[in-house]
Amino acid sequence: MEAVVKSASDLSKRRTALKKEQRRLAYSKFIHNKQAVTGFIILAFIVALALLGPIFISLDPYEIHPEDRLQGPSGNYLFGTDNLGRDLLARVIFGAQISLFIGLAVAFFAGILGTIIGLYASYYKFLDNVLMRICEGIMAIPAILLAIALMAALGPSTENIIIALSIVYTPYVARVVRSSALVIREETYIEAMKAIGAKSFRIIWGHIAPNVVSPLIIQITSVFANAILIEATLSFLGAGVPAPTPSWGNILYDGKMVIFNTPWMVVFPGICIVLAILALNMFGDGLRDILDPHSNSKK
Amino acid sequence: MTTQLTLDHEPLLEVSGLKKHFPVKNEIGQKSAVVKAVDDVSFKLYEGKTLGLVGESGCGKSTTGRTILRLTEPTSGSALFKGKDIFQLKGDELRKARQDLQMVFQDPFSSLNPRKRIGEILEEPLVIHKLGTKAERTEKVMEILYKVGLNVDHYYRYPHEFSGGQRQRIVLARALILNPKIIVCDEPVSALDVSTQAQIVNLLRDLQEDLKLTYLFIAHDISVVRHISDQIGVMYLGNIVEYTDTDNIFAEPLHPYTQALLSAVPHPNPTMKRERIILKGEIPSPLNPPSGCVFHPRCPMATDICKQAVPVNKEARPGHFVRCHLY
Amino acid sequence: MSQQAILEVKDLKTSFHTERGSVTALHGINFQLKEGEILGIVGESGCGKSVTSQSILRLYDEKYLVDYEGEINFQGKNLLKLPMDKMQEIRGNDISMIFQDPLSSLNPVYTIGFQISESLMIHQKLSKKEATEKAIELLRLTGISAPEKRVKQYPHELSGGMRQRVMIAMALACKPKVLIADEPTTALDVTIQAQILDLILQLNKEYKMSVMFITHDLGVVAEVCTRVIVMYLGQIVEETDVETLFSKPLHPYTKGLMKSMPTLEGERSEKLHVIEGAVPSLNNIPKGCRFAERCPFADELCKEKPPELMTHNDNHKVRCWHYEKIEKGEVAYDNTINA
Amino acid sequence: MKTYLLKRLISLIPTLLIVSIVVYLIIYLTPGDPAEVMLGDSATDEQVEALREEMGLNDSFVQRYFTWMGGVLQGDLGTSYFMKEDVTYSIVSHLGPTLSLAILAEIFAIVIGIPIGIFAARRRGTYVDQSFMGLSYIGVAIPSFLLALFLILIFSITLKWFPVAGYKELSEGLWEHLRYMILPALALGCMHIALTARMTRSSMLDVLNLNFIKTARAKGVKESIVIYRHTLRNALLPIITIIGQNFGILIAGAAVVETVFNIPGIGQLVVNSIERRDFPVIQGIILFVTFVYVVINLIVDLLYGVIDPRVKLDK
Amino acid sequence: GGSSDSSSEGDNTSEGTDTAVSTDGELHYASNVQPPTLDPLMSNAIVTREVASVIYESLVAFNENFEPVPMLAESVDVSEDGKTYTFNLRHGVMFHNGEEMKAEDVVASMERWKEKSSSARAVLTEPQFAEVDEYTVTMTLAEPTTLALGAIANTSHLAAIMPKEIVESAPEAGVEEFIGTGPFKFVEWKQDQYLHFTRFDEYAALDTPASGLSGKKEALVKDVYFDIVIDPSTQLSGLQTGEYDIAGGIIQDDLAQLEANPDLEYITPFDANYTLLFNRKEGAFQSKELRQAVAYALDLDALAAVAAVDNYEITPSQLPKLNAVWATDAGAEFHNQKDLEKAKQLVEQSGYNGETLNILTTRDYPQMYNEAVYVKEQLAKVGINVELLVYDWATALSEVRNSPQDWNIFTTSFPSTPSPVELLYYAESYFDGAETDTQKELLTKIKSAPTTEEAKMYWEELQTHSIEDVKLITTFAANKISAYTTDVKGYKYFEVPLFYNVSVSE
Ligand SMILES: Nc1ncnc2c1ncn2[C@@H]1O[C@H](COP(=O)(O)OP(=O)(O)OP(=O)(O)O)[C@@H](O)[C@H]1O
Ligand SMILES: Nc1ncnc2c1ncn2[C@@H]1O[C@H](COP(=O)(O)OP(=O)(O)OP(=O)(O)O)[C@@H](O)[C@H]1O
Ligand SMILES: [Mg+2]
Ligand SMILES: [Mg+2]
């Protein structure tokens, strides 16, 4: 017994050491994944721009300069001005905040809701039939049409976009979670838990849920990217973030009108959208490689 | 090692008339057929002894084991354990009973949750059954780790950091931590290399001696089963076709299938080229099993009666049961 | 043992480029396959059996994924230096191969008839009709009933044993000189395994085909092989004829392996012999003898310096510093390692 | 086969029912009144009320749903508030441009995407592969409307190769038609080219790792045949799936591109109808597009059976 | 290129020289909106006026001085008391369906018109139409007014004369067949693509010279296509490639391009008065001081500049300048005063409690939206908290009508009307709830004034009152840019684009 107790006191030390080691490993795995790193750097750059930009550059995205309408990029206005003479750089930066926030919020809500639906659908057959039919129904409606219709119904506001896009994307998350959960459910260790006498709640949340995390995260990055894209599209169609709040799609909406004269109004936010989505996709795919158990195992 | 099946003391677990039929649905979702995965299986487990179940893939070995643990519901039959029929237990009673009945699975890679540390995996059964305080549980886990030949170092590791053999030890530890009476071992060594296999087989035997465990040992490797079992049941297509003490079976296999099976096992002895009985044909599907004796299409000794009548279980020799028209 | 070598592997070294650097799976493999013999290659999972067999046909041949060193001589040609089109002429024609898992080794979307006749159409330039007829014949040869019907079936419609027979028929299509069988029966039941082993033995006799038989089952080796190579962690540790291997193994690993196997004969001894520890990973190869860590006879020399494959006699090679002394009982059995 | 088809068709019913309810609910919740939109701000409340009554807007939700659903079941999608024509007719008359756009985009996706995917898979890990995959990332990341704007900037405004926008029917000549369609189809299809290329690549790689590819090579099959005969056919399932799904997405995605290029397809119709609160049209289109989407998926499933004998469609 | 930059419509003419004019040509007009309906009584949308005027004609029409002169009527006689109007119809005026226009058609059409038309409601008191004989129709009023014929000539809710059967069978949602008497007849409406009109060969043209909407109308092209081209830049490029002959919706920002192109010309007809409407039914703007604060806070020049309007004028006149009868600068002393200090002071006086006020606007009309953005920024400077409620136009309309609790300012625009009485916001039940006694009284005076001069006096008073009281703020009078290629000869815009007397050379 003596030996056991002694080891127990060592356990916590061991634990911290292992955790450190684990972190180091995860880090090294990440750092060696070119895609993930590139995606992360771009994303980090955009996030930093969105969060820190307003602190360092004291620009007002709302201030109107009627005399400076549609100026090209210059010392005064790095990105030029828009059709109301507002500083495009400031608007693009604030747009980044909005777009990222919407993307993040949608990913968050759709992620949580989708996970719950997916997990329970996979576990209980009778729920599966009901929930999956509904999800299928919603997924059968093309995302963009559903989003447009929902926005018309809910009315334009940032919260409503988040609600609408969460409704649109929850089924996608649910489906991914469910299909991975169905596989996990058949794993022997789930059977082992039943053999031990674990209740369903423990099995679902303690054993199935942690194992759907990787596909979930990957799906969530993709939802994140798609939410940014659809938000931009909605705003571009005039059904998105209510103006004058700048969002990338909004800026493009304004820019579309003047594309002949002032292409930079399209070019700058356009590049931002592409970069953000690109970064998220790369990051997600990188994560896929990192989290994929096959890339861990001996093979 | 020779134990008579007709022991005077009570069996620990008595399974009789166990049937498990899976409905098979067709495309439109109607029940179209049943798979008779287990069709009338009876046997007894005695305390501290091992019953080996052998048979080829798909014959219903795993289903038998899983049904006893109520991982799948039996179609009919009974399993008396401590005077109660396991198949009738519900809710908390069943959960209680599960402490006494544990399982070790074939695939050591998929039977551990890859996202849990070994410590957590081993502690969880205790948590589920609300046994002990946190400290006591940790202690118990460490104790069990030692018992299966691992050490405390492994407490915070993840399953993927272990080799197959080590994982099988962990699986065993998880089964043992609740102090079960019976462990169903479903091909616990089939996925392991020969050298590792020996380690686990030895461990199983040591533990049996220490803890008076009772095993239902399922395997298709006859030499391993022979090594570990006190009695052997030979299964074919959902039936136990022959059932007796280990030594009896090897000394005098009665069922033509057992004979063929034994002769087909390759011997690691090049000098001893024995006469092999090569069976014709393939193992039929339990979806539509042959009429009469299920073995008759492949049986070298089949006669007309075999095609028509289902043979009953006979005690052809004392304590040696066989299901064949020849006896 | 004076037959000619039909295939000679010299200093074969195969390394893979993986994301985490290069992994050398084979470290200088040397052996000969003689005409008409069945050469067994045994060893535990991951020791490099499959890599050896697939290196011979250069199935990993993708310049940026794999490096081969050494020579593989077949009919006077070094296969490793052959241009791909020449290599393709040899594959399936002179050297064929069957794999462990017959389901995943058959293309699910083509009938087995097509899959068998494909190689006839490639190598013997038969017409489709001729090839199909030949395929039916080959299937009959492997003991499949109603082969006319089977050719039209898809792999998933067949049972495991039948699939493996299809694989064999496919491999035999062009009457190859060498058949490489990579664990052809591991996925099968014993009674079916017996059928397949029987078939391979029969074909070996009838066609005088040399067979490289890869397995981890010593029982199977004893049943079918004439000569055996034992591999451990990417190296050959012992090579001899089958009787000698089972009667007088020299390498401690082989000895351990033999003893740790439960058998159907003799006493059901209380305990099985155990080789302690596990096979080290390829990323973490011991400096000296690769088996030293697990070897009860190992000493400092073993841990420091890797032994060469030594010739015990014409017919027996072994990679161990101390095999002679062990034979004579001169080295102490190190018990600590088993603790 | 027949029973399978029947079963699949039956299983569409709940999906479409749910879609119809969802759509109806959304529309019910949508503020804005078609009567008001129609009459403009000069109308008196009485005029608005009279029109509402005539349009049946004063009925209860359930009543309206069942009236509508009853019609739908008889193949009648209702009458447009604004165009005063059958919704079915509106859809049909707007379908041409959208279909043409989607088909063209799909053709781009197939004839560009699949070869690129195969090419990249065969040269996996090389710079060629990496640059193609890098491009495909960008392809996926560019929203179609943005690409549309860029394409207009480059090809129409600067180079003047293509018209800025508009639509010419096929009856006015193939080239004339294509001149108007190429840019929109590219804008619409770009993402799908990239997706198809990536799916092809990864699916090819998955199959290339399977054992039977080794078998084929071991038989002495030429590498090109290994790729096209043994790998591609097996890799086709996920590719077809994505192509099928794409088609649905393309039809829906046309909404955006049609708006930018001012193409009078159903995409634009739906956007306009939402603006005008032309509810029957919105419902009709969404139901229709969904139906198309579901049917295409059904066709894809049927194709599975043709390509892969393991997929048994009949029992 | 170049333009006649005057906003007077009379000058907005491309010189009509006769070079290689084909009478079988097609005229493509690009419009950025699709009409909600072709029934002129079902919508007051400008685009509906535009298309309806192609097909339909009314009894009287405006000449270029905004005087109603006979069109389908041969002559109009007004009784002594000014209560009875007798319309002597022209003989041989054919409908597009081949039948002749008769008094019964006129009566039916005018009866429906008086039901639906906002002009009729605003101007005429209990009008009664009656058939005297086949070619004579009378209109009797309860109260005399000099504005009556102007109301009938109004292009908004055009008093279109249609066959009786069609009028009488028309459901609530509008007529189902579009049959008029105009020089072009309706052929096809390809939703979201185009409306197609073709020359009506039996058209009975007048022989008086063309003036405004009156006089001789001659279809010089065979087909007129009213192409729906939503995107302004597309319109411009289509104009450049010759796809369209006339583009109705070019924006200011593209003007430079337009001017740089020698093959293009443009005119700038009046579009609408952009207006901030205050909600006086509910909320903070019931306070006059707060409304005035808004008026003082705004710099309308800056506002108009950012609103990116096409071509504009800052004027207090609530009717367009070209409507010489009614246009007036009365109230200019309260208009566009740009006094932030005063505004702040007024905010204080008003007792405004800092609550958030909502501007209801739409992005469907970028000018309104931009205007709203500017107002928000500007009001923030004087301490008024403003949020934008941005809806699509449909929702905005519904909100403004049904949810007075939600909005405080509504951005909208008002097209020209024949007389101030017909300005929608002076209607009794207008949804801003801003009707004052003064307003009511003056409106009645205008209506019943025996002469136009006298009426105008009252109107000046009313406009001044309206501006001083800040009933609304007319932020700017916008002109649109209607561009055309040099191949187009004789193109004019008067209230609507005129497709007759226009030729296109190939
Ligand atoms: N959940 C299930 N539904 C339908 N059929 C099942 C199910 N589980 C098992 N079966 C069928 O029951 C039969 C017996 O299966 P079981 O797993 O018990 O065989 P086994 O003897 O353990 O085989 P193996 O050696 O391959 O593990 C098989 O034919 C199998 O296909
Ligand atoms: N494509 C590859 N890339 C990297 N490493 C590989 C590859 N193929 C094989 N290896 C490594 O080479 C070693 C030998 O593998 P091999 O497949 O030859 O083993 P084996 O003896 O056939 O084992 P088994 O009995 O499991 O089939 C293994 O450690 C394996 O991880
Ligand atoms: Mg099993
Ligand atoms: Mg292998």
Side-chain angles (χ1 to χ4, degrees), chain A residues 298, chain C residues 16 18 23 25 44-52 60 100 182-183 216 282:
Chain A
K298 287 180 267 168
Chain C
F16 296 101
T18 68
V23 171
E44 287 181 277
S45 175
C47 68
K49 307 182 295 288
S50 300
V51 174
T52 307
Y60 297 112
Q100 167 175 4
D182 189 352
E183 312 206 22
H216 60 252
L282 280 177

Side-chain angles (χ1 to χ4, degrees), chain E residues 289-334:
Chain E
E289 284 82 12
L290 198 60
R291 295 199 300 275
Q292 284 176 328
V294 175
Y296 279 106
L298 301 182
D299 174 348
L300 297 184
D301 298 280
L303 179 146
V306 295
V309 289
D310 304 335
N311 234 305
Y312 62 89
E313 203 175 334
I314 309 289
T315 165
S317 178
Q318 294 180 358
L319 285 170
K321 274 276 162 64
L322 67 113
N323 192 338
V325 186
W326 298 103
T328 169
D329 276 344
E333 62 275 29
F334 303 110

Side-chain angles (χ1 to χ4, degrees), chain B residues 1 3 9 12 45-51 181-182 205 207-209 211-215 228 230-231:
Chain B
M1 282 306 295
T3 343
H9 64 262
L12 186 59
L45 292 183
Y46 293 95
E47 181 153 20
K49 299 292 175 200
T50 303
L51 170 66
K181 297 272 184 305
I182 297 175
R205 298 194 61 150
L207 290 168
Q208 182 166 44
E209 262 163 45
L211 306 169
K212 290 220 103 195
L213 292 170
T214 305
Y215 292 141
I228 202 164
D230 300 296
Q231 292 111 41

Side-chain angles (χ1 to χ4, degrees), chain C residues 182-201:
Chain C
D182 189 352
E183 312 206 22
T185 58
T186 308
L188 305 174
D189 288 327
V190 265
T191 53
I192 309 295
Q193 166 171 296
Q195 294 172 0
I196 298 292
L197 292 182
D198 224 45
L199 177 63
I200 290 179
L201 278 173

Side-chain angles (χ1 to χ4, degrees), chain B residues 57-58 60-63 66 106 186-187 218:
Chain B
S57 113
K61 307 179 300 283
S62 301
T63 308
R66 293 178 68 244
Q106 167 172 10
D186 189 359
E187 315 222 14
I218 298 169

Side-chain angles (χ1 to χ4, degrees), chain E residues 246-305:
Chain E
I246 307 171
I250 302 295
I251 56 171
Q252 178 76 26
D253 292 313
D254 289 335
L255 205 56
Q257 284 212 27
L258 196 59
E259 286 180 332
N261 191 330
D263 297 330
L264 301 181
E265 304 197 20
Y266 66 94
I267 52 178
T268 57
F270 174 78
D271 177 19
N273 273 332
Y274 282 75
T275 304
L276 298 175
L277 208 59
F278 292 93
N279 180 354
R280 283 161 72 173
K281 271 193 185 145
E282 286 183 38
F285 284 122
Q286 285 169 325
S287 147
K288 178 176 171 183
E289 284 82 12
L290 198 60
R291 295 199 300 275
Q292 284 176 328
V294 175
Y296 279 106
L298 301 182
D299 174 348
L300 297 184
D301 298 280
L303 179 146

Side-chain angles (χ1 to χ4, degrees), chain A residues 20-92:
Chain A
K20 218 171 174 182
E21 170 71 9
Q22 204 188 339
R23 240 175 282 142
R24 199 188 57 77
L25 266 175
Y27 175 75
S28 95
K29 220 166 158 193
F30 172 75
I31 213 78
H32 284 108
N33 188 311
K34 261 189 262 167
Q35 266 180 356
V37 171
T38 319
F40 182 80
I41 289 174
I42 300 176
L43 205 60
F45 176 76
I46 296 175
V47 170
L49 194 75
L51 295 181
L52 304 178
I55 300 173
F56 292 110
I57 318 165
S58 57
L59 295 173
D60 184 347
Y62 298 106
E63 196 178 313
I64 294 169
H65 308 274
E67 63 289 356
D68 292 340
R69 293 180 68 239
L70 299 175
Q71 302 266 303
S74 68
N76 259 349
Y77 304 105
L78 280 180
F79 280 13
T81 58
D82 74 356
N83 54 335
L84 292 177
R86 293 174 294 198
D87 187 277
L88 212 52
L89 175 63
R91 290 186 69 74
V92 168

